[in-house]
């Protein structure tokens, strides 16, 4: 039976407080939760060697962006604080802020004033991962840059290192600012950093990220290492750009402008 030291001590402690005998403790141990390694992966889970996203900005309106932001923030219990201390996983900016390296005075008015959808780029060389002292932020084998909130000590080194403003800090308890709490996703606490996770919890259930699902085809998500994937096909047939490519973080979010 797989059980870690902490779970063992908890069960023994409960038995002692409840005045249960050795047999009851053994019974509780028998019913203890199984380890992750003992659970078979969901056969429906979506997997990839390297997840990536293409944002076809030609297909997205302001209303589309709003719908995607709402869908993401609702299912992930992202608080709506409404001040400079706001928390965001996905948001919009105008072209000159999203792509400062590509800005020039002849960019068309349409592009200049269009809202560009921004999120964590799940960079191949993530600066945030390099600076995190506790490994609270780490890169998965499938390319997703992930957070373990329990390890986060709130030092904010990752926020300073990320050149894309993709991370938010919980200056206070975010829970009072969650409009309608979803029981399916954990809430966070004061003093931790959070960001987009490419909806790992949905991928495990065989679902596309929430923003992709409501994008009406404006967002394409798939395996960058698979030459036959839709993301590769779209990148092959369209000119795309990435945010601040000369910083060397190798973003995995591509934009067709
Ligand atoms: S966009 Fe920022 S937070 Fe996301 S992986 Fe890159 S450096 Fe890290
Ligand atoms: S704030 Fe948390 S995730 Fe960011 S560098 Fe510090 S410990 Fe790591």
């Amino acid at each position: 039976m797989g059980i870690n030291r902490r779970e063992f001590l908890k069960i023994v402690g409960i038995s002692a407080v409840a005045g249960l005998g050795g047999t009851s403790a053994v019974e509780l141990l028998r019913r203890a939760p199984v380890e992750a390694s003992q659970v078979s992966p969901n056969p429906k889970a979506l997997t990839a060697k390297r997840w990536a996203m293409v944002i076809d900005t030609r297909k997205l309106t302001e209303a589309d962006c709003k719908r995607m932001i709402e869908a993401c923030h609702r299912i992930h219990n992202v608080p709506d604080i409404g001040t400079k201390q706001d928390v965001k996983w996905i948001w919009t900016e105008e072209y000159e802020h999203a792509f400062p390296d590509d800005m020039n005075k002849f960019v068309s008015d349409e592009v200049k004033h269009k809202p560009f959808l921004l999120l964590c780029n799940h960079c191949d060389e993530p600066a945030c991962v390099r600076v995190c002292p506790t490994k609270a932020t780490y890169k998965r084998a499938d390319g997703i840059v992930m957070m373990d909130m329990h390890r986060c000590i709130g030092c904010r080194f990752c926020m300073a290192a990320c050149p894309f403003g993709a991370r938010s800090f919980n200056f206070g308890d975010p829970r009072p600012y969650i409009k309608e709490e979803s029981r399916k996703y954990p809430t966070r606490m004061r003093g931790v950093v959070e960001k987009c996770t490419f909806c790992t919890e949905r991928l495990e259930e065989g679902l596309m990220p929430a923003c992709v699902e409501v994008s009406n085809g404006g967002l394409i998500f798939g395996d960058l290492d698979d030459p036959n994937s839709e993301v590769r096909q779209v990148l092959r047939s369209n000119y795309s750009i990435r945010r601040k490519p000369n910083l060397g973080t190798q973003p995995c979010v591509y934009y067709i402008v």
Side-chain angles (χ1 to χ4, degrees):
M1 172 174 44
I3 181 162
N4 66 29
R5 183 174 167 274
R6 186 189 249 187
E7 285 161 348
F8 174 81
L9 292 174
K10 199 167 147 197
I11 289 166
V12 171
I14 291 168
S15 307
V17 168
L20 300 174
T23 317
S24 304
V26 167
E27 183 54 30
L28 279 171
L29 282 166
R30 213 172 267 135
R31 287 190 227 140
V34 290
E35 282 177 0
S37 59
Q38 292 174 287
V39 180
S40 340
N42 182 348
K44 287 193 196 147
L46 302 180
T47 57
K49 282 198 177 146
R50 188 157 47 128
W51 287 116
M53 182 180 282
V54 179
I55 300 181
D56 190 342
T57 65
R58 301 167 305 183
K59 292 185 181 166
L60 295 175
T61 63
E62 197 169 345
D64 292 326
C65 294
K66 201 165 171 242
R67 191 175 60 251
M68 291 185 273
I69 295 167
E70 275 172 8
C72 167
H73 286 188
R74 188 180 59 246
I75 68 162
H76 295 119
N77 289 324
V78 176
D80 185 6
I81 299 172
T83 68
K84 278 190 173 165
Q85 299 186 348
D86 217 358
V87 174
K88 60 188 182 351
W89 283 30
I90 180 169
W91 70 104
T92 56
E93 296 265 7
E94 286 198 344
Y95 189 78
E96 68 171 311
H97 298 298
F99 304 99
D101 306 332
D102 294 289
M103 187 59 188
N104 69 66
K105 61 182 178 185
F106 302 114
V107 166
S108 74
D109 277 353
E110 194 210 332
V111 168
K112 211 187 285 175
H113 300 302
K114 200 179 166 80
F116 284 86
L117 199 69
L118 308 180
L119 67 163
C120 171
N121 288 287
H122 297 274
C123 307
D124 268 348
E125 299 290 342
C128 55
V129 171
R130 218 171 321 131
V131 299
C132 179
T134 63
K135 306 231 180 306
T137 187
Y138 58 96
K139 191 156 176 73
R140 304 191 341 168
D142 61 6
I144 293 179
V145 174
M146 197 55 190
M147 279 291 302
D148 179 347
M149 309 289 177
H150 300 290
R151 283 174 166 245
C152 179
I153 55 171
C155 66
R156 293 195 272 162
F157 288 176
C158 55
M159 292 179 73
C162 172
F164 305 102
R167 295 174 161 261
S168 301
F169 184 63
N170 285 288
F171 285 91
D173 181 0
R175 290 169 193 126
Y177 299 96
I178 297 169
K179 276 188 196 149
E180 203 177 315
E181 188 179 319
S182 161
R183 297 277 164 187
K184 285 188 169 176
Y185 202 80
T187 56
R188 277 72 70 192
M189 56 190 282
R190 178 173 180 250
V192 299
V193 162
E194 59 183 274
K195 69 165 196 78
C196 153
T197 61
F198 266 173
C199 284
T200 50
E201 82 286 1
R202 289 175 57 89
L203 298 176
E204 277 154 25
E205 287 180 14
L207 300 169
M208 279 283 170
C211 55
V212 177
E213 193 174 86
V214 299
S215 72
N216 285 341
L219 304 190
I220 301 113
F221 187 71
D223 191 350
L224 205 57
D225 272 13
D226 175 0
N228 298 317
S229 67
E230 196 184 350
V231 279
R232 284 289 295 276
Q233 285 171 27
V234 171
L235 290 176
R236 236 186 339 258
S237 47
N238 293 278
Y239 177 70
S240 60
I241 56 174
R242 293 183 292 173
R243 297 187 67 199
K244 304 180 183 176
N246 41 8
L247 295 181
T249 68
Q250 300 295 344
C252 282
V253 176
Y254 293 76
Y255 292 83
I256 299 172
V257 180

